[in-house]
Amino acid sequence: MQSDSPLVGVVMGSDSDWPVMAAAAEALEEFAVPYEADVVSAHRMPREMIAYGEQAAERGLRVIIAGAGGAAHLPGMLASVTPLPVIGVPVPLKYLDGLDSLLSIVQMPAGIPVATVAVGGARNAGLLAVRILAAADDALRERMTEFQATLTAQARAKGAALRDRILGQNTTKLIHSDIFLVELWYRFEYGAAGGLFCSCAGQAS
Ligand code: RP5
């Protein structure tokens, strides 16, 4: 939930990043982790961006999720002025499919880490922030473990459904090939008339 005492700051270079970044906020809400969301542009409001990074820890934030597109300097610049863990989300723009954003965020120099998720991977950024907080919070870690168990159950159910579907197709193929063999035998035993009877019977079934 958006909170007066947020633990996670979800920031982005522009409100146009929100359709991607909203998934990070949703993940935090699923785990009832208080967060704040805002636009903090590295290029258009650099002084405010630096102030945000410098004050984040003393304001009570514990993790920053920063998303940006194109020349995406926001996550790295925030990481350079805060001791908090920063998770970078490469936001894909109209050109270059987000590769520009990814490379701008991921290629940090030694000493200033940014944990970069996949292009458009804001949900994982939210889940990673939950895991970071959960490392020192038993109840939150328990919820993460339960969440992971639901993913396992879903994946198993998908496998079972797929196996059923394939089994169903193979059974149908077997039934068709059995009908074909019976028809061949009828033709052999009774000639064309028998074969005609069997074809009709096969179609009727
Ligand atoms: C980046 O420029 C922002 O993070 C956004 O992805 C991109 C475009 O911003 P707008 O022109 O839509 O404001 O800094």
Side-chain angles (χ1 to χ4, degrees):
M1 70 227 81
Q2 278 269 31
S3 165
D4 290 340
S5 316
L7 291 176
V8 180
V10 180
V11 290
M12 58 217 82
S14 171
D15 62 347
S16 61
D17 296 324
W18 180 244
V20 169
M21 295 303 293
E26 281 160 24
L28 294 169
E29 285 186 15
E30 284 173 33
F31 286 86
V33 169
Y35 69 92
E36 64 181 12
D38 209 347
V39 171
V40 184
S41 171
H43 300 122
R44 294 166 177 159
M45 43 195 285
R47 289 171 190 82
E48 283 156 88
M49 181 267 298
I50 292 295
Y52 184 91
E54 284 179 341
Q55 293 162 15
E58 68 200 47
R59 286 202 304 111
L61 293 180
R62 291 297 168 257
V63 184
I64 295 175
I65 297 173
H73 297 137
L74 177 62
M77 288 309 298
L78 287 174
S80 72
V81 293
T82 179
L84 297 177
V86 175
I87 304 169
V89 181
V91 174
L93 301 185
K94 191 172 165 191
Y95 302 107
L96 302 178
D97 295 330
L99 187 59
D100 45 351
S101 322
L102 173 66
L103 297 180
S104 299
I105 294 174
V106 79
Q107 291 292 75
M108 288 298 292
I112 312 293
V114 168
T116 310
V117 296
V119 174
R123 179 166 175 77
N124 265 2
L127 293 174
L128 182 55
V130 173
R131 285 183 181 220
I132 290 169
L133 295 170
D137 181 331
D138 290 349
L140 195 54
R141 200 162 61 250
E142 183 59 33
R143 289 213 291 283
M144 177 53 75
T145 304
E146 285 165 12
F147 168 75
Q148 289 176 268
T150 65
L151 290 184
T152 302
Q154 283 167 8
R156 284 194 185 128
K158 286 176 186 176
L162 181 64
R163 289 195 299 277
D164 281 354
R165 212 155 66 223
I166 292 168
L167 195 65
Q169 283 168 1
N170 287 346
T171 307
T172 309
K173 276 186 203 155
L174 277 176
I175 289 169
H176 284 159
S177 65
D178 281 356
I179 288 171
F180 178 68
L181 286 176
V182 170
E183 182 170 342
L184 274 184
W185 177 76
Y186 257 79
R187 278 179 190 274
F188 183 76
E189 284 291 313
Y190 302 107
L196 184 63
F197 159 74
C198 187
S199 292
C200 295
Q203 278 168 19
S205 67

